[in-house]
Structures are given as structure tokens and as C-alpha cells.
Amino acid sequence: KLSLQPLLENALLHGILYCEKPEKELTVRAWAGKDSVHIEVEDNGNGMPEETRQKLENGSIGYGLTNVRKRLSLFGMEKSEFQIFSREGVGTCIAIRIPAVQPEQAKQTT
């Protein structure tokens, strides 16, 4: 819950809104692997400097992303992954991997 909304909002506000590219795109991809669920939110907007990317990825800035990371940690049992890929002028992709919960496991945790 409330994990994708901040990612989409950031992609729109920081990546797409003030980008001067004529062809702006925001893509959301999700798929289930054998042991995990993968989600990516990618824009072809402004991108960000490497220093900013590192600060966002390690949680030293960005309230929305910090909250997303905390939720992922809770739901992913500390085994989730959160990565940010970005290049200035090219765009940004946030990739999330969450361990898959089998139906019988879900019944035990509720």
C-alpha cells in the first residue's frame, strides 16, 4: 500500500513535468519471478546527478522514497531490494524486488 504512488509522483514532478523533451514517457513495469515480484517505474525525463541518486538510494534525502523503503522493508521481511538508476538528460528508473509470498504463507501472516 502507498508504495507506488510516491514513485509515480516523483517521476512526474521531477522527471517529466519540467523536461523540455518533446516525447515524454513514464513507464510502469511489473512481473512475477519464481521467488520475487519486480516493479519498475521509469521516466525519460531530466535524470539526476550521481550524487543526488546516491543520497536518494541510501535514504539520506527524500521523505517519500524513505517511506517507500520502510514499507518495502516491512513487507519484504528485510529481503526486498530498492535501486535507482539515473543519468542526467536521459531519465530515471526505480527498480524494486520484493520476495514473493506463496498463498499458504499469506494465510499464516493474516
Side-chain angles (χ1 to χ4, degrees):
K1 292 183 179 182
L2 297 175
S3 295
L4 290 180
Q5 183 272 336
L7 304 180
L8 294 169
E9 184 177 316
N10 281 349
L12 286 170
L13 292 176
H14 301 295
I16 299 291
L17 186 61
Y18 299 108
C19 178
E20 295 183 16
K21 292 180 181 179
E23 300 287 329
K24 301 174 188 179
E25 291 185 20
L26 173 60
T27 305
V28 178
R29 290 181 289 276
W31 67 96
K34 180 179 177 185
D35 299 343
S36 57
V37 174
H38 302 263
I39 302 167
E40 293 180 349
V41 175
E42 183 174 12
D43 67 69
N44 69 339
N46 294 320
M48 67 184 85
E50 177 61 17
E51 181 181 347
T52 302
R53 188 205 64 79
Q54 287 176 358
K55 288 179 180 179
L56 286 169
E57 193 167 77
N58 71 28
S60 62
I61 62 172
Y63 294 116
L65 293 183
T66 298
N67 288 334
V68 169
R69 292 174 65 91
K70 287 179 183 177
R71 285 187 198 96
L72 291 174
S73 179
L74 288 172
F75 295 116
M77 300 155 282
E78 303 282 336
K79 296 179 183 175
S80 61
E81 295 177 9
F82 180 92
Q83 295 178 293
I84 301 173
F85 304 94
S86 187
R87 285 186 41 209
E88 285 187 89
V90 177
T92 300
C93 179
I94 296 185
I96 296 171
R97 188 191 64 78
I98 305 167
V101 176
Q102 301 303 317
E104 59 274 1
Q105 291 173 314
K107 289 178 187 177
Q108 294 172 2
T109 60
T110 56

